[in-house]
Amino acid sequence: MAPQQNPRRARIAFSDSAAKQVENITSEAEIHALDRALVVISVDPDVGEPIPGDTAGPRLRQYTDEVEAVRVLYFVTALRTVVVVAYIEV
């Protein structure tokens, strides 16, 4: 029997403002919490809740992990291969 392959994960990219937020994180615990949230989103980009809004631009989603106290706003590209992180709260 052939081994089952893991599903392909989406690549994570950051908007300029989200990249600046990441640069300002200094706590190891916050970095670990954000990393865990990004892995969840990359494996299943639909995990977050859609944010109501304008349909003209990309559809924003929100993923919240209450255990790790992380909130990530993001959108998924059309081919679903890239998740663009727009905003982070840790």
Side-chain angles (χ1 to χ4, degrees), residues 51 54-61 74-77:
I51 296 175
D54 190 349
T55 58
R59 182 77 179 193
L60 282 175
R61 301 184 73 80
Y74 66 97
F75 65 92
V76 183
T77 59

Side-chain angles (χ1 to χ4, degrees), residues 14-30:
F14 295 95
S15 68
D16 290 342
S17 61
K20 287 178 185 174
Q21 290 175 300
V22 171
E23 288 175 6
N24 292 329
I25 297 174
T26 57
S27 162
E28 282 288 325
E30 289 177 343

Side-chain angles (χ1 to χ4, degrees), residues 34 37-38 41 51 61-65 70-74 83 85-89:
L34 177 60
L38 294 176
I41 294 168
I51 296 175
R61 301 184 73 80
Q62 168 181 264
Y63 173 74
T64 305
D65 183 337
V70 175
R71 180 177 173 232
V72 179
L73 302 182
Y74 66 97
V83 171
V85 175
Y87 178 80
I88 300 165
E89 286 180 8

Side-chain angles (χ1 to χ4, degrees), residues 6-7 13 38-39 41 46 53 57-59 73-74 77 80-84 90:
N6 291 334
L38 294 176
V39 168
I41 294 168
D46 292 326
R59 182 77 179 193
L73 302 182
Y74 66 97
T77 59
R80 308 192 53 71
T81 57
V82 179
V83 171
V84 180
V90 181

